[in-house]
Amino acid sequence: MGAGTSGLQSASILTGAGRGRAFDAATDAAALRLLEDQKHLFADYTTVRQSLENGTIIQGRDRTILDALVELDARLDLTAYTATAKRLLKDATNKVNPLEGWTPSVPQGELLEAHSEQWRAMERIGLREVGACAFVLVAGGLGERLGYDGIKVSLPTESTTGTCYLELYIRTILEFQRRSGNTLPLCLMLSQDTDGATRKLLKDNNNFGMRADQISFIVQAGVPALSNQEAHFVLDNNSILCKPHGHGDVHSLLAQSGLPKKWLDRGLKRVFFFQDTNAFALRTLLPALGSAAARSLDVCSTCVERRAGEAMGALCLLKKGTLSLLKNVEYNQLEPLLLSTTGKGDVETPSPYPGNTNQLIISLSGEHGYVSTLERTGGNVPEFVNPKFNANRTFKKPARLECMMQDYPQLLEGGSVGFVTLTRKAVREYAPVKNSPESAIDKVKSGLDAHSASSGEADFYALHGDFLRCGRDVVIGGKEPGVYRGLSVEMPPRIVLSPSFALIEDDIIRSVKGVTVKQGGTLVIEGEGSVELEDVVVEEGSALRISTVKGVALRVLGLTVKNDGYRVEAPGVTKAEVIRGFRIVRRDETHLKFEEPGSYAVAPLDLSSDEEEEAPRVSPFILGAAAVAVLAFFLLRRRTV
Ligand code: UGB
């Protein structure tokens, strides 16, 4: 299935072109054929051809184009690339369904629901296994659909703390590390578009606490854009226009990097692949990892319920004669496949086919493991083309060969491939930020999730609020309706829980007894200390922020917070606020801040601060003194008890 893969080659068959080496039809047939295919690039190809054959030095624009082709061919076998492209483009133009002859059926996998004992059981296994995981973040894509010209991983996951995606991912991996005692590697796949800015983001933030030797980079290069069915390249200022080859590059680049073998040799067992703007990715990893480990899967895809027409691939069990394959059928292929096999297109919500979140757990070791599979295949997953056509079947815009990370299972010769579907009543276990407000409005009109920056933020709070509900007697207030850049978003109380506070439901059950966060309220638990909450109330619109450092053990008992809190206000000028349509302004807060390791307790004091009453503010010193007094009281009582 799929097309031949355009392999890598060490030197170009075009080497020396226009630099004095005479080309002859006998020895340079392939090179001349390749140039013949792209003769439209040259103003006067006949003259270029003559110069090539008699070894004349070619200057100027033609030389620049030849050099660009030589550089490309050295990196990427252009003959194979164009051959593959021609075959796939011909099929696409003739509407040949690449899945012709395959019959889809609904695959069997595990279904896990948040707040269930099964979910918690899998989380516990996941937490045990995560200490033997390597992490691969594919972050080469630019946010075209999002209307954001920065790197997506620098976007805030939420505006209450402003923590960006990359920081959240790294802080969570560091918590996995703290729990397991192992130093865990993170590899980022970048592209020319995202390389420099991502490395600067890390440098400017001291890698968000991660050691530099833990982080590695693989950089994907673009592939030639194709303007028509003849696979004609496109000139872009005398250079060859290139476009991203797709997140499937991650496997061939990891194969070339040798990293998976190093990870295996140092005792790691699995690799977790995830994408740039799904804030839930590393939180959902633990139940999914537990499920993959419990079933000894070589490959496990993390899925959620899918909606008809959603820009999300669907996992299908495909059969053709004796062949059967569990495959992600991408959202642009699902409709034609279902239409041609069931007569009904991609029309059901929820879809019977699990939705691919593109979060993959792949085992490193064994015959069907990642290391041996990369050694055998070079990690070259099948390519496809997805040209957009005008009415007269010409291309709306240049296409290119692409490949997808989730097609890795097609490289396997056996092995156990499966998936786990994660569900949560309160909010979908998946909230990528992909769409600009305008395209999000269209998505919502057609019954789909917005997947915008504002809806992603609301989902973030909803998930953290629902996570907090694992505790005893937890009440989370209602959502506040709002319209941001024309998009209606219901904003839950803004709850932000750091990975150090809780990773799994057991953590919440252990540390949360009686918490209420009312409508419009804010609860932020940040930092690396351990925090226990008992009988804590955040009144309507009020804000409580608890900040701790490593080594702090804090108990907050019987605290009611009432203040002006944080407010959702009109966006400022930053792009992150503009694509969201709002910003969060910290008007007032009760901030419990502990910067020295130690055990602390904050106990019953009513901290209401109504402006008009001009009630005296309780300075942190009094607060501190009170805390110490309570501590002394408890210590004394324990000695006497
Ligand atoms: N990416 C790269 O690193 N390099 C590239 O060349 C391209 C992308 P998109 P897409 O989330 O619901 C995927 O564009 O590809 C990175 C799955 O295929 O956001 O349209 C990029 O930085 C689909 O089945 O998504 O669709 C980002 O991190 C479904 O899972 C990631 O690849 C869908 O995601 C995804 O790129 C989804």
Side-chain angles (χ1 to χ4, degrees):
M1 184 176 309
T5 303
S6 34
L8 289 178
Q9 64 176 29
S10 51
S12 164
I13 60 174
L14 296 170
T15 304
R19 291 181 177 279
R21 175 166 82 81
F23 278 53
D24 69 83
T27 51
D28 298 298
L32 291 169
R33 245 197 327 278
L34 176 59
L35 289 174
E36 193 72 24
D37 274 349
Q38 305 302 336
K39 63 182 174 205
H40 63 285
L41 297 173
F42 301 93
D44 171 3
Y45 181 66
T46 313
T47 311
V48 169
R49 171 82 188 227
Q50 282 159 0
S51 306
L52 287 170
E53 284 168 346
N54 55 33
T56 310
I57 301 288
I58 295 176
Q59 304 286 6
R61 178 177 176 282
D62 292 337
R63 169 70 164 271
T64 314
I65 297 170
L66 274 172
D67 289 348
L69 289 170
V70 171
E71 184 272 327
L72 264 175
D73 190 44
R75 171 167 68 73
L76 166 77
D77 176 345
L78 288 181
T79 302
Y81 183 84
T82 42
T84 307
K86 281 182 180 169
R87 183 154 46 78
L88 292 176
L89 287 170
K90 187 158 158 279
D91 288 353
T93 308
N94 303 334
K95 297 186 179 163
V96 174
N97 177 350
L99 298 173
E100 193 66 39
W102 290 88
T103 308
S105 61
V106 178
Q108 295 312 306
E110 180 163 24
L111 176 68
L112 289 177
E113 178 156 2
H115 300 278
S116 69
E117 188 40 45
Q118 182 58 0
W119 175 285
R120 284 192 284 277
M122 289 304 127
E123 277 188 329
R124 292 177 198 123
I125 300 174
L127 195 55
R128 269 202 312 275
E129 295 293 329
V130 78
C133 249
F135 297 84
V136 177
L137 167 60
V138 288
L142 266 183
E144 286 122 339
R145 277 182 282 176
L146 192 53
Y148 178 69
D149 57 10
I151 49 171
K152 290 186 276 179
V153 289
S154 68
L155 267 175
T157 52
E158 37 75 20
S159 328
T160 297
T161 68
T163 303
C164 72
Y165 285 94
L166 191 50
E167 177 175 6
L168 177 66
Y169 297 149
I170 288 180
R171 297 242 176 262
T172 313
I173 295 169
L174 289 175
E175 182 57 21
F176 293 155
Q177 201 166 286
R178 192 184 68 76
R179 303 271 187 120
S180 65
N182 289 345
T183 302
L184 303 176
L186 168 64
C187 177
L188 290 106
M189 178 172 80
L190 305 173
S191 64
Q192 270 114 14
D193 301 318
T194 63
D195 190 357
T198 308
R199 290 177 200 248
K200 182 173 183 318
L201 176 68
L202 285 165
K203 188 161 176 295
D204 294 352
N205 295 281
N206 190 19
N207 298 326
F208 299 112
M210 201 173 243
R211 277 199 346 241
D213 62 4
Q214 278 181 261
I215 304 177
S216 51
F217 303 96
I218 49 178
V219 180
Q220 62 181 151
V223 293
L226 309 162
S227 61
N228 55 27
Q229 194 191 333
E230 277 63 299
H232 281 175
F233 297 169
V234 180
L235 271 186
D236 174 26
N237 301 335
N238 294 345
S239 184
I240 307 295
L241 174 66
C242 285
K243 301 184 81 170
H245 187 227
H247 38 71
D249 276 350
V250 70
H251 301 302
S252 55
L253 290 171
L254 280 172
Q256 289 154 38
S257 74
L259 284 168
K261 179 82 173 56
K262 290 199 187 102
W263 295 335
L264 180 61
D265 293 348
R266 50 169 281 210
L268 298 181
K269 290 198 277 183
R270 296 180 184 83
V271 190
F272 177 58
F273 294 83
F274 60 110
Q275 306 196 140
D276 50 16
T277 60
N278 173 26
F280 303 165
L282 292 172
R283 232 175 234 297
T284 47
L285 166 60
L286 296 178
L289 181 56
S291 173
R295 295 180 289 156
S296 307
L297 294 176
D298 291 300
V299 181
C300 181
S301 297
T302 308
C303 298
V304 290
E305 238 177 37
R306 189 180 172 280
R307 307 204 173 15
E310 194 163 21
M312 172 192 270
L315 252 67
C316 302
L317 185 60
L318 297 177
K319 289 210 166 74
K320 187 180 184 177
T322 55
L323 297 173
S324 102
L325 179 73
L326 177 64
K327 181 179 175 353
N328 166 79
V329 176
E330 195 59 342
Y331 47 91
N332 59 315
Q333 292 175 323
L334 189 62
E335 173 83 1
L337 173 70
L338 294 179
L339 268 177
S340 66
T341 50
T342 67
K344 279 191 318 176
D346 175 17
V347 289
E348 293 178 76
T349 292
S351 166
Y353 301 96
N356 169 49
T357 66
N358 235 14
Q359 290 163 194
L360 310 172
I361 301 164
I362 303 182
S363 287
L364 281 165
S365 60
E367 185 197 348
H368 306 294
Y370 196 53
V371 173
S372 54
T373 303
L374 291 188
E375 274 160 10
R376 183 169 47 76
T377 64
N380 294 308
V381 291
E383 292 169 305
F384 64 95
V385 281
N386 187 15
K388 306 284 183 296
F389 291 100
N390 294 313
N392 62 1
R393 302 307 285 164
T394 57
F395 292 6
K396 269 194 190 137
K397 60 181 181 170
R400 79 272 194 186
L401 289 188
E402 297 180 64
C403 57
M404 295 187 296
M405 165 164 90
Q406 63 272 39
D407 281 341
Y408 164 79
Q410 291 176 63
L411 300 180
L412 295 176
E413 294 173 341
S416 53
V417 178
F419 67 93
V420 56
T421 301
L422 303 176
T423 67
R424 180 184 292 271
K425 289 202 179 58
V427 60
R428 221 158 55 141
E429 202 62 48
Y430 179 68
V433 169
K434 297 206 174 211
N435 302 318
S436 66
E438 293 70 30
S439 50
I441 290 167
D442 295 341
K443 296 273 181 193
V444 170
K445 279 194 193 126
S446 41
L448 296 173
D449 285 4
H451 289 168
S452 68
S454 51
S455 65
E457 177 154 352
D459 289 347
F460 183 102
Y461 299 135
L463 185 124
H464 284 231
D466 189 61
F467 191 40
L468 200 61
R469 274 202 197 90
C470 297
R472 187 166 46 77
D473 305 335
V474 173
V475 179
I476 307 294
K479 297 178 176 179
E480 291 174 311
V483 178
Y484 309 111
R485 293 276 305 268
L487 186 67
S488 300
V489 174
E490 299 227 311
M491 197 61 77
R494 293 177 291 278
I495 297 173
V496 182
L497 309 175
S498 75
S500 305
F501 171 63
L503 278 177
I504 59 174
E505 297 191 2
D506 288 351
D507 296 341
I508 298 276
I509 293 166
R510 204 179 24 256
S511 55
V512 175
K513 301 178 185 62
V515 169
T516 299
V517 184
K518 297 187 179 169
Q519 187 165 355
T522 299
L523 172 62
V524 174
I525 304 182
E526 58 189 5
E528 296 168 63
S530 82
V531 177
E532 286 180 35
L533 305 176
E534 191 164 340
D535 303 334
V536 172
V537 177
V538 179
E539 292 294 355
E540 209 160 311
S542 305
L544 170 60
R545 180 152 68 109
I546 301 174
S547 311
T548 63
V549 297
K550 201 179 273 181
V552 166
L554 169 66
R555 294 187 67 202
V556 183
L557 305 148
L559 180 67
T560 297
V561 167
K562 184 170 177 33
N563 54 44
D564 272 358
Y566 297 4
R567 289 284 178 276
V568 177
E569 296 190 3
V573 290
T574 71
K575 295 210 179 70
E577 289 169 0
V578 169
I579 62 167
R580 224 164 277 272
F582 67 82
R583 66 184 167 143
I584 303 273
V585 175
R586 294 183 180 181
R587 290 271 192 84
D588 193 1
E589 64 180 4
T590 297
H591 189 189
L592 307 181
K593 195 172 181 181
F594 295 85
E595 296 171 309
E596 294 301 324
S599 300
Y600 304 88
V602 172
L605 279 175
D606 181 352
L607 290 172
S608 59
S609 62
D610 294 335
E611 294 298 330
E612 57 277 6
E613 293 165 30
E614 294 300 317
R617 291 184 54 68
V618 179
S619 83
F621 296 103
I622 297 175
L623 191 64
V628 174
V630 169
L631 187 66
F633 166 73
F634 274 112
L635 290 174
L636 266 176
R637 206 172 66 153
R638 191 176 291 146
R639 201 169 296 128
T640 51
V641 172

